Amino acid sequence: MSKKIFFLLIFSISITTIFSQKNGKKYTIRTIAFYNVENLFDTINDVTKEDEKSPMMELKFNRSKVYWDKIDKLASTIAQIGKEKSNTSPAIIGVSEVENLSVLEDLVHSKHLVKKDYGIVHYDSPDKRGIDVALLYQKKYFKPIHHEVFNPNIFRDNFKVYTRDQLLVSGYLDDELIHLIVNHWPSRRGGEAASRPSREKAAYQNLKIIEQVKKQDPKAKILVMGDFNDDPTNSSFKKVLKTKSKKKNVTEGDLFNPYEDMFRRGFNTLKYRDKINLFDMIYFTSPLLDKGEKDFSTYKMFKAMVFNKSFLTTKKGKYKGYPFRSFSNGNYTGGYSDHYPVYMYLIREK
């Protein structure tokens, strides 16, 4: 082993050791993440969907080569999320903009993730293009016991909007029951104001799922993640979900969104026409929040972040500083996604 590799190995172990022995105590650290993987479609035309409108199917040449390069890049990224502190890839990661179960299987069987032994929870959604959400989990850390999907049943001008389902997965993170809801809310096509009611309806569906879970588990630890196509300050969050951004203001039954304060400080997960947005986030119920009590006898959120590493960012040109996307103007750019992943650490005293 070279001296350089040996040094990096010791440095990595040291970071984890220092974190896990905070205040003289040792902690179990688990990463929970979400990633919009930007049109992860296969190269086969599905006649039951409008997948021919996907950027992958619009390519004239080298679809297979592009597909496997994108799989490799996404898997390599996922393998790094949260590794700095947890020493492994996410225990649980929600994903959006995936076409089907097959592309998810290719993703988790990639050389970067295959040894992590990820399980998959996926349902085909009614989205016309076939865009779905899903949950991936390391089997040694998380054991699902129930999952189902809910559609927000959105109508616009008396026509049903065939948008993505909201996926609920309940299970045991180690030996602790948690619940996860994965989202991909309706887009802003037609303008933010005109499309706002659709996302507010999606937010109401979130509330319904949360209340359903709470009927069975009143102090439920629920993490809600996704590409919401809204910023944390928009009406879907502040008026419908009534999310709180300050720990001191959170009372029992409230929903806490750590990404609201981050958004105000300039963090983002995507850019559009030089305007930053933070559409990707994870908010959660109050039992996961430590308000200064320093009681980590059960899993609590330690820190929430945006995974915006340099390699995920465009280095030059018109879109310098934007997430390094995979597709643009009908071509493959060699990038990763037009969104940054988001993640948080859950910690528990050993």
Side-chain angles (χ1 to χ4, degrees):
M1 182 184 294
S2 71
K3 290 183 179 179
K4 183 176 181 181
I5 294 174
F6 180 75
F7 173 78
L8 290 174
L9 177 61
I10 295 300
F11 182 70
S12 175
I13 292 172
S14 296
I15 289 176
T16 304
T17 303
I18 290 168
F19 183 84
S20 64
Q21 292 181 343
K22 188 176 184 291
N23 297 325
K25 298 178 181 179
K26 293 185 178 181
Y27 295 88
T28 299
I29 308 164
R30 300 286 181 246
T31 304
I32 310 296
F34 173 81
Y35 196 8
N36 178 326
V37 294
E38 191 198 352
N39 290 297
L40 182 55
F41 279 68
D42 61 29
T43 61
I44 303 166
N45 183 25
D46 185 339
V47 296
T48 67
K49 304 172 184 175
E50 296 180 3
D51 64 341
E52 66 275 4
K53 295 180 180 179
S54 72
M56 185 67 73
M57 297 303 292
E58 289 177 347
L59 295 175
K60 306 296 185 199
F61 308 100
N62 298 323
R63 284 182 190 165
S64 181
K65 182 179 179 180
V66 166
Y67 174 76
W68 289 110
D69 187 60
K70 182 169 174 63
I71 286 284
D72 184 77
K73 283 185 164 68
L74 292 173
S76 174
T77 301
I78 291 170
Q80 298 176 61
I81 299 173
K83 188 177 181 180
E84 180 182 4
K85 294 291 190 289
S86 66
N87 212 29
T88 186
S89 56
I92 300 169
I93 179 167
V95 292
S96 69
E97 288 201 15
V98 296
E99 183 183 11
N100 50 40
L101 179 61
S102 177
V103 299
L104 292 165
E105 290 174 336
D106 287 341
L107 183 65
V108 301
H109 292 147
S110 160
K111 65 183 180 182
H112 303 288
L113 297 177
V114 66
K115 291 182 180 179
K116 305 300 182 184
D117 191 24
Y118 275 97
I120 302 169
V121 180
H122 167 267
Y123 291 78
D124 288 313
S125 80
D127 182 273
K128 287 186 176 181
R129 280 181 53 207
I131 294 177
D132 305 332
V133 299
L135 192 82
L136 312 178
Y137 58 93
Q138 288 199 52
K139 296 175 185 177
K140 61 183 174 182
Y141 299 131
F142 183 69
K143 304 290 190 296
I145 59 171
H146 174 79
H147 47 80
E148 61 181 306
V149 289
F150 303 79
N151 195 269
N153 291 316
I154 297 169
F155 287 81
R156 188 184 298 174
D157 300 325
N158 295 320
F159 289 95
K160 184 174 174 61
V161 177
Y162 289 95
T163 190
R164 280 75 59 176
D165 289 327
Q166 296 177 10
L167 170 65
L168 167 66
V169 183
S170 300
Y172 286 92
L173 179 61
D174 298 309
D175 57 353
E176 194 168 318
L177 181 62
I178 66 168
H179 312 269
L180 305 111
I181 305 171
V182 188
N183 297 263
H184 187 186
W185 288 2
S187 75
R188 294 190 168 197
R189 187 175 293 109
E192 188 278 326
S195 59
R196 186 184 304 153
S198 294
R199 289 183 299 282
E200 290 180 344
K201 185 69 182 293
Y204 279 115
Q205 182 63 71
N206 267 197
L207 281 180
K208 290 179 182 178
I209 300 171
I210 290 168
E211 289 309 309
Q212 175 180 309
V213 172
K214 283 184 174 181
K215 284 181 180 179
Q216 302 297 320
D217 184 4
K219 295 185 180 297
K221 292 187 172 183
I222 307 171
L223 298 111
V224 189
M225 62 181 69
D227 171 2
F228 297 96
N229 275 305
D230 261 345
D231 291 315
T233 53
N234 286 130
S235 60
S236 55
F237 284 94
K238 303 311 295 179
K239 292 183 179 179
V240 179
L241 294 165
K242 295 181 172 59
T243 51
K244 302 290 181 65
S245 63
K246 302 296 182 183
K247 290 184 178 182
K248 65 181 181 180
N249 297 330
V250 176
T251 58
E252 186 174 348
D254 286 339
L255 300 169
F256 179 68
N257 188 356
Y259 288 89
E260 183 176 343
D261 184 59
M262 293 169 67
F263 180 57
R264 290 197 174 102
R265 289 187 285 128
F267 283 84
N268 68 89
T269 57
L270 71 155
K271 291 186 179 182
Y272 181 68
R273 295 179 178 176
D274 293 332
K275 180 180 183 296
I276 67 168
N277 292 104
L278 207 163
F279 288 173
D280 309 83
M281 59 194 101
I282 306 170
Y283 72 88
F284 53 87
T285 53
S286 57
L288 279 158
L289 182 64
D290 176 79
K291 297 178 66 176
E293 304 92 342
K294 304 300 181 184
D295 177 10
F296 291 98
S297 57
T298 64
Y299 276 120
K300 300 285 180 63
M301 188 275 291
F302 177 73
K303 191 175 183 180
M305 285 160 285
V306 176
F307 191 75
N308 54 1
K309 298 296 186 183
S310 175
F311 69 88
L312 293 174
T313 303
T314 305
K315 300 295 190 299
K316 58 184 179 180
K318 181 180 178 181
Y319 298 109
K320 181 180 179 180
Y322 284 47
F324 187 12
R325 64 185 306 156
S326 299
F327 302 101
S328 181
N329 299 318
N331 297 308
Y332 180 59
T333 64
Y336 297 76
S337 172
D338 53 352
H339 291 242
Y340 291 129
V342 292
Y343 66 113
M344 64 174 55
Y345 292 121
L346 298 184
I347 68 171
R348 184 175 71 176
E349 189 177 343
K350 290 184 178 179

